[in-house]
Amino acid sequence: MGLLAFLKTQFVVHLLIGFVFVVSGLIINSVQLCTLVLWPVNKQLYRRLNCRLAYSLWSQLVMLLEWWSCTECTLFADRAAVERFGKEHAVIILNHNFEIDFLCGWTMCERFGVLGSSKVLAKRELLYVPLIGWTWYFLEIVFCKRKWEEDRDAVIKGLRRLAGYPEYVWFLLYCEGTRFTEKKHRVSMEVAASKGLPVLKYHLLPRTKGFTTAVQCLRGTVAAVYDVTLNFRGNKNPSLLGILYGKKYEADMCVRRFPLEEIPLDEKEAAQWLHKLYQEKDALQEMYNREGVFPGQQFKPARRPWTLLNFLFWATLLLSPLFSFVLGVFASGSPLLILAFLGFVGAASFGVRRLIGVTEIEKGSSYGNQELKKKE
């Protein structure tokens, strides 16, 4: 095992990476708070600044995938579609099967220059998660309670705000609403059968309200819908902890571009279009499991140096005073100071672990089990 491979497995190194992410995130959130004074004066300047501030935080996670674990991402798509990536507003539909599917999505956003301006329809609980939720708030992310009667007006208002956005926006939708598990899949397929909808093998039944509303609100702004079907070679099931330990994965993403004009205007017909899309996604997953590849030409967009340089900037800025402080604590010889510092380290490691826990499948929401609760 080489020195770098050894360092990737060490808890203290993980703690230092977590320290850089958390402290830089708090600094970024503080700067974002100060930018609020620009909102009534110049909204576009406010948005451009916050896109770059968000990039400085999110790119640290992308750096872990691209440079720390050296995970490779391959696109399967046609060249005409790839040439449009990063040059138009788009709605992204991504399957929700893996703990790091969001990170693979962010990697593609980064490689096509839209990471800072990427958007998502997020559950409201995430608004209160430090760093992640706070950064999203300043980015005008749409938060929802997952109760359509309560969410409808807020979602429509939030989507319409994107019409005048100064950067190209990729709006990510997880139409399944929650991560795939066998239990949720069983319940979801019972609901599909009761509604006369085709059974899916690899996906949950898509929730159509968010999609149809997004398409209606963003017509005239968004040029296309990108359908993304993600899988990992070798039947791997990667995790954020695995990435932190430097494990290398190979992600394959089948991307299909649908011009927005091809999606029906009528809400019911648009919902049927989405159900048909998920049947096609299921067929693509079946093909991948059988043949190990998706259809289409393969592209490997080159990773850019900015994520690594951004992390090195924050690490240089924050770790130097940290090391000086630690040396001072132990040089003091004070048992009280040393115990207080060790207590802080324990609390910090717990906090970082809780942040990682947000991505874990078993810690996911119970949203997909609501129908089961009703039956019981």
Side-chain angles (χ1 to χ4, degrees):
M1 180 185 290
L3 177 61
L4 183 58
F6 173 75
L7 290 175
K8 290 179 179 180
T9 65
Q10 300 307 298
F11 172 74
V12 66
V13 176
H14 302 161
L15 199 58
L16 290 174
I17 292 173
F19 172 82
V20 172
F21 179 75
V22 170
V23 177
S24 66
L26 292 174
I27 294 171
I28 288 167
N29 286 162
S30 299
V31 176
Q32 286 182 303
L33 184 62
C34 295
T35 64
L36 284 175
V37 298
L38 293 172
W39 180 259
V41 180
N42 191 330
K43 289 183 182 179
Q44 301 298 58
L45 178 59
Y46 166 88
R47 286 167 167 167
R48 290 184 186 278
L49 286 174
N50 276 280
C51 284
R52 280 141 189 81
L53 289 168
Y55 177 88
S56 189
L57 185 60
W58 301 150
S59 65
Q60 294 181 50
L61 297 177
V62 174
M63 183 281 299
L64 290 176
L65 188 79
E66 293 185 335
W67 296 92
W68 187 254
S69 80
C70 297
T71 291
E72 295 183 359
C73 293
T74 302
L75 296 184
F76 292 76
D78 63 81
R79 183 171 296 277
V82 173
E83 288 175 353
R84 290 177 177 267
F85 293 171
K87 300 174 183 176
E88 62 184 1
H89 297 298
V91 172
I92 314 295
I93 297 176
L94 180 62
N95 54 311
H96 210 6
N97 299 62
F98 305 98
E99 290 184 9
I100 66 163
D101 46 29
F102 78 97
L103 200 49
C104 292
W106 274 359
T107 296
M108 286 300 106
C109 288
E110 149 59 21
R111 297 189 186 190
F112 291 102
V114 293
L115 177 60
S117 57
S118 60
K119 309 291 181 186
V120 68
L121 187 63
K123 57 185 179 182
R124 189 162 185 82
E125 296 95 312
L126 290 175
L127 174 61
Y128 308 105
V129 176
L131 309 183
I132 297 171
W134 299 348
T135 303
W136 274 348
Y137 172 80
F138 292 110
L139 281 176
E140 304 168 75
I141 291 296
V142 181
F143 292 96
C144 59
K145 299 177 182 177
R146 291 176 165 177
K147 295 179 181 177
W148 184 245
E149 297 76 17
E150 299 178 27
D151 289 333
R152 186 178 183 279
D153 291 342
V155 169
I156 290 174
K157 182 180 178 181
L159 288 171
R160 285 179 175 164
R161 277 204 305 262
L162 299 180
Y165 220 77
E167 311 269 342
Y168 286 122
V169 171
W170 281 10
F171 186 82
L172 174 62
L173 276 178
Y174 288 114
C175 293
E176 294 162 274
T178 186
R179 279 198 177 92
F180 183 101
T181 67
E182 290 300 330
K183 181 180 179 181
K184 292 176 182 178
H185 179 254
R186 176 173 57 82
V187 175
S188 181
M189 291 307 98
E190 289 175 5
V191 174
S194 70
K195 294 182 177 181
L197 295 169
V199 172
L200 301 172
K201 187 176 179 180
Y202 302 102
H203 299 85
L204 304 180
L205 187 68
R207 310 272 174 157
T208 60
K209 286 290 186 183
F211 172 76
T212 57
T213 302
V215 167
Q216 288 171 356
C217 291
L218 295 175
R219 284 191 187 274
T221 300
V222 164
V225 170
Y226 298 166
D227 171 54
V228 183
T229 304
L230 169 69
N231 216 323
F232 290 87
R233 296 181 192 177
N235 200 29
K236 297 287 180 65
N237 192 9
S239 66
L240 192 55
L241 274 177
I243 295 296
L244 201 55
Y245 275 87
K247 292 182 181 178
K248 181 178 180 178
Y249 302 103
E250 293 177 291
D252 289 331
M253 307 171 78
C254 179
V255 185
R256 300 181 296 161
R257 181 183 182 274
F258 298 93
L260 208 64
E261 309 86 65
E262 294 183 5
I263 301 172
L265 287 166
D266 180 74
E267 182 179 350
K268 191 171 292 186
E269 291 180 2
Q272 292 171 353
W273 184 92
L274 183 65
H275 284 300
K276 183 176 180 293
L277 182 78
Y278 267 79
Q279 293 168 42
E280 294 171 359
K281 289 172 76 69
D282 228 44
L284 286 169
Q285 287 286 28
E286 182 70 37
M287 175 185 175
Y288 188 89
N289 288 346
R290 186 177 62 250
E291 302 179 13
V293 292
F294 287 119
Q297 189 174 352
Q298 296 187 32
F299 298 89
K300 285 192 177 182
R303 60 183 181 180
R304 307 193 305 171
W306 313 121
T307 57
L308 180 61
L309 293 174
N310 175 75
F311 178 79
L312 292 175
F313 163 77
W314 284 113
T316 303
L317 183 70
L318 298 174
L319 292 182
S320 179
L322 175 67
F323 291 150
S324 298
F325 173 75
V326 172
L327 287 173
V329 167
F330 284 95
S332 71
S334 168
L336 187 63
L337 270 179
I338 294 172
L339 285 174
F341 172 74
L342 293 176
F344 171 78
V345 170
S349 63
F350 175 77
V352 170
R353 187 63 186 83
R354 286 295 297 271
L355 279 174
I356 293 173
V358 172
T359 71
E360 294 177 348
I361 291 176
E362 62 269 21
K363 301 287 182 63
S365 73
S366 59
Y367 179 56
N369 296 327
Q370 290 174 352
E371 289 83 358
L372 182 61
K373 291 179 181 178
K374 290 176 184 177
K375 291 181 181 180
E376 295 174 344

